[in-house]
C-alpha cells in the first residue's frame, strides 16, 4: 500500500472524540485553535485486523478475569525474531499498563529511596519525573549534539556513574526525542560501562518498530549475542507502533531469573493489576496480522520527514531538522531564526501550532521544537508553511 492509499484509508478526524492531542489544547497550551503536532500518537486508525478482533471480543459482553494464552507468547516471540532477530522466551515476560509504569515499577523493585538513577538528556520528560516522583536522586548526563545528530558521551556517563554512585540507568532506545537508533557498538559501550559498575539497565524500547532508515534496531537483550542480558530489564509494547496507548498493555521483559524473582516479590505486594484482556488481544493481533499496516505507516512517516526537511532546506536553510533514524518524533532547531526565549510565543501566537518544546526534554534545548510526523502529509506541509511564512513576515 503506497502513502496515498494508506492515508486515504486510515486517516481519521479525532476532533470531538475526547482526544488529548486535539481536544486537550486549551488545558495544555491555553488556547484551542492550534494545529496539534505534539503528543506521541497518531491520526491513523489502527489496522483492520485489530479492530475486527476487538469487535468480536467485545460482542461477548463479558470482561471478567482472563489469562494470557500460549498463542500470545508465540506471537510476541515470532514478531521479535522476524523484525528484530531477538527471541523472547515466555518465562521472561511480565506485564504492565505502560512503559513509563514499567520504569516506575522497576525503580521501586530494584532501588531504594535516595538511590541515584541516571538518564541521558534530552529525553522524554516522564523519564525525569518518574525518578524524582519515586524519591530517587536524578542524575542527568547530556548527549553530545552536533549539527542535528546526537551521540553518547561515554566518558561523561562513566564519570557520573562513579561520582554519583548510580544504581540504575534508564535507557531510551530508539531515542525520543533525538531520533537515534543506537548502533550495536554504541550499545555495547554503554552496557559494558553499566555492567562494570553494577548499574542495572532499564531499556525502554517502545519505539522499536518505528525504524525509518537502513540502520537496524538492536534490542539491548541481543547486543553481542546477549552478553548483557543478566543486567537488563527491557520494556516494550505495541502501543506506539499501532496507536493502542489507552488499551494499557506493555511488557516488562526480565531475562535474569534472580531479577525476575526479585521483581515478582515486589509485584506480589504492589502490582496487583490484571492484564488488560483487550490490550493483550490487540497486541497479539498486531503481531500476527499487523505487519503490512505498520509498513504502510512507516512509508507515511518517511514521506513526512522528507517533505519537512526539503521545505526547511529550501526556505529556512539555517534551521536544522535533526536526523530521524527511528520514532515518528523529530526535533527541529530554530535558534538561528528565533531567540530561544521567544520560541513559545513564536510557535503558538505567530504559527498557531502546538508542539513539544525542546527544554521539556533537557537543559540546553530551548529554541528546539519536537514535531509528531505520524499524521497526514497535508498537516506536516501546513505546519512547515506556517513556520516559514511567520519568519518571512
Amino acid at each position: 500500500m503506497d502513502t496515498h492509499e494508506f492515508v486515504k484509508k486510515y486517516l481519521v478526524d479525532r476532533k470531538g472524540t475526547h482526544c488529548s492531542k486535539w481536544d486537550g489544547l486549551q488545558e495544555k497550551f491555553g488556547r484551542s485553535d492550534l494545529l496539534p503536532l505534539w503528543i506521541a500518537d497518531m491520526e491513523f486508525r489502527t489496522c483492520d485486523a485489530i479492530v475486527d478482533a476487538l469487535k468480536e471480543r467485545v460482542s461477548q459482553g463479558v470482561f471478567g478475569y482472563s489469562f494470557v494464552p500460549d498463542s500470545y507468547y508465540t506471537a510476541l516471540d515470532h514478531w521479535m525474531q522476524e523484525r528484530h532477530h531477538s527471541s523472547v522466551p515466555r518465562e521472561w515476560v511480565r506485564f504492565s499498563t505502560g512503559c513509563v509504569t514499567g520504569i516506575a515499577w522497576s525503580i521501586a523493585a530494584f532501588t531504594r529511596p535516595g538511590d541515584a538513577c541516571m538518564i541521558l538528556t534530552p529525553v522524554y520528560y516522564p523519564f525525569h519525573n518518574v525518578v524524582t516522583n519515586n524519591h530517587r536522586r536524578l542524575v542527568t548526563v547530556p548527549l553530545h549534539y552536533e549539527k542535528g545528530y546526537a551521540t553518547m558521551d561515554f566518558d561523561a556517563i562513566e564519570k557520573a556513574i562513579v561520582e554519583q554512585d548510580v544504581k540504575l540507568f534508564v535507557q531510551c532506545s530508539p531515542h525520543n526525542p533525538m531520533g537515534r537508533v543506537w548502533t550495536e557498538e554504541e550499545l555495547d559501550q554503554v552496557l559494558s560501562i553499566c555492567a562494570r559498575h553494577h548499574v542495572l539497565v532499564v531499556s525502554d524500547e517502545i519505539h522499536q518498530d518505528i525504524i525509518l532508515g537502513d540502520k537496524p534496531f538492536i534490542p539491548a537483550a541481543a547486543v553481542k549475542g546477549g552478553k548483557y542480558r543478566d543486567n537488563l530489564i527491557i520494556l516494550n509494547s505495541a502501543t506506539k507502533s499501532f496507536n493502542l496507548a489507552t488499551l494499557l498493555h506493555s511488557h516488562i521483559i526480565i531475562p535474569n531469573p534472580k531479577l525476575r524473582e526479585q521483581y515478582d516479590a515486589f509485584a506480589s505486594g504492589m502490582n496487583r493489576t490484571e492484564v488488560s484482556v483487550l490490550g493483550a488481544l490487540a497486541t497479539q493481533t498486531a503481531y500476527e496480522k499487523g505487519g503490512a499496516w505498520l509498513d504502510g505507516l512507516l512509508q507515511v512517516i518517511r514521506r513526512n520527514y522528507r517533505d519537512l526537511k526539503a521545505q526547511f532546506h529550501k526556505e529556512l536553510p539555517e534551521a536544522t531538522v535533526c536526523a530521524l533514524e527511528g520514532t515518528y518524533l523529530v526535533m527541529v532547531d530554530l535558534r538561528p531564526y528565533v531567540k530561544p526565549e521567544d520560541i513559545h510565543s513564536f510557535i503558538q501566537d505567530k504559527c498557531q501550532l502546538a508542539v513539544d518544546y525542546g527544554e521539556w526534554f533537557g537543559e540546553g534545548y530551548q529554541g528546539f521544537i519536537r514535531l509528531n510526523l505520524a499524521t497526514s502529509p497535508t498537516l506536516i506541509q501546513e505546519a512547515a508553511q506556517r513556520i516559514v511564512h511567520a519568519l518571512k513576515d
Side-chain angles (χ1 to χ4, degrees):
M1 184 182 301
D2 66 22
T3 298
H4 176 75
E5 291 173 326
F6 185 93
V7 172
K8 183 177 180 181
K9 182 172 183 179
Y10 292 107
L11 184 69
V12 295
D13 182 357
R14 299 187 64 197
K15 286 182 286 187
T17 64
H18 307 292
C19 167
S20 296
K21 187 176 183 181
W22 289 85
D23 301 326
L25 290 168
Q26 182 67 43
E27 181 178 357
K28 182 70 175 179
F29 296 96
R31 53 190 295 181
S32 59
D33 60 344
L34 305 177
L35 182 66
L37 293 168
W38 61 297
I39 196 169
D41 66 7
M42 313 178 196
E43 272 66 68
F44 298 119
R45 181 169 55 89
T46 196
C47 71
D48 294 338
I50 294 175
V51 175
D52 292 343
L54 291 174
K55 284 180 178 178
E56 182 179 352
R57 181 63 182 80
V58 167
S59 70
Q60 296 179 21
V62 178
F63 307 99
Y65 297 116
S66 303
F67 61 86
V68 178
D70 292 342
S71 55
Y72 179 96
Y73 298 97
T74 301
L76 169 61
D77 185 53
H78 185 262
W79 180 268
M80 292 299 296
Q81 292 196 50
E82 288 291 308
R83 291 266 168 170
H84 307 302
H85 310 291
S86 181
S87 183
V88 180
R90 173 179 179 155
E91 62 268 21
W92 293 6
V93 181
R94 304 294 185 268
F95 298 101
S96 76
T97 56
C99 284
V100 174
T101 300
I103 296 172
W105 288 347
S106 298
I107 288 172
F110 299 111
T111 69
R112 298 178 178 180
D115 281 351
C117 298
M118 182 180 71
I119 60 176
L120 307 183
T121 58
V123 73
Y124 183 45
Y125 35 90
F127 279 33
H128 302 244
N129 302 334
V130 79
V131 173
T132 56
N133 290 349
N134 279 286
H135 309 292
R136 271 61 173 178
R137 184 161 48 87
L138 181 65
V139 175
T140 61
V141 178
L143 294 170
H144 176 72
Y145 172 83
E146 186 174 0
K147 298 179 181 178
Y149 200 74
T151 54
M152 297 189 212
D153 185 337
F154 300 107
D155 290 339
I157 290 169
E158 188 158 26
K159 185 173 185 287
I161 286 173
V162 173
E163 293 183 352
Q164 300 293 330
D165 191 23
V166 170
K167 301 298 185 185
L168 182 146
F169 166 43
V170 185
Q171 172 174 269
C172 191
S173 177
H175 192 273
N176 169 20
M178 297 311 299
R180 280 298 317 281
V181 173
W182 306 116
T183 65
E184 186 164 23
E185 290 71 25
E186 288 173 308
L187 291 169
D188 181 32
Q189 281 191 263
V190 73
L191 295 177
S192 176
I193 291 168
C194 290
R196 186 160 61 247
H197 295 287
H198 309 290
V199 175
L200 182 65
V201 178
V202 177
S203 188
D204 184 338
E205 301 180 358
I206 195 171
H207 294 277
Q208 65 178 16
D209 301 318
I210 313 297
I211 306 303
L212 306 174
D214 296 329
K215 187 182 295 181
F217 167 72
I218 309 294
V223 172
K224 298 299 179 182
K227 179 179 179 181
Y228 303 103
R229 283 177 185 165
D230 282 348
N231 196 45
L232 287 170
I233 311 296
I234 303 102
L235 311 176
N236 67 25
S237 175
T239 56
K240 283 288 181 284
S241 310
F242 292 91
N243 213 20
L244 306 173
T246 56
L247 291 181
L248 302 179
H249 184 75
S250 69
H251 308 117
I252 300 175
I253 298 169
I254 311 175
N256 184 330
K258 291 183 178 179
L259 291 179
R260 284 201 303 273
E261 183 179 354
Q262 186 174 345
Y263 176 79
D264 290 342
F266 157 80
S268 69
M270 180 66 69
N271 170 22
R272 307 301 297 181
T273 307
E274 295 293 329
V275 174
S276 164
V277 66
L278 298 183
L281 175 61
T283 299
Q284 180 175 340
T285 307
Y287 291 156
E288 291 175 340
K289 301 177 181 179
W293 182 93
L294 178 62
D295 292 339
L297 170 70
L298 295 178
Q299 289 292 92
V300 176
I301 297 167
R302 290 186 186 105
R303 174 189 166 173
N304 284 342
Y305 179 65
R306 289 195 302 268
D307 288 352
L308 180 73
K309 198 165 186 178
Q311 190 162 355
F312 273 49
H313 179 72
K314 179 182 178 182
E315 304 284 356
L316 303 173
E318 299 302 315
T320 300
V321 179
C322 293
L324 191 64
E325 300 170 342
T327 84
Y328 52 73
L329 307 160
V330 62
M331 284 282 260
V332 181
D333 181 1
L334 292 175
R335 292 176 299 175
Y337 296 99
V338 183
K339 292 179 180 178
E341 62 269 25
D342 295 335
I343 192 69
H344 288 241
S345 60
F346 171 75
I347 289 293
Q348 291 177 212
D349 299 335
K350 294 187 178 180
C351 303
Q352 293 187 298
L353 298 175
V355 305
D356 289 88
Y357 294 103
E359 68 271 17
W360 293 357
F361 302 92
E363 291 183 13
Y365 285 84
Q366 191 172 20
F368 288 70
I369 59 173
R370 191 193 75 171
L371 301 177
N372 181 342
L373 302 182
T375 190
S376 163
T378 302
L379 289 185
I380 297 301
Q381 292 160 12
E382 170 67 20
Q385 288 170 3
R386 289 188 187 191
I387 293 171
V388 169
H389 292 161
L391 287 173
K392 290 190 171 182
D393 289 344

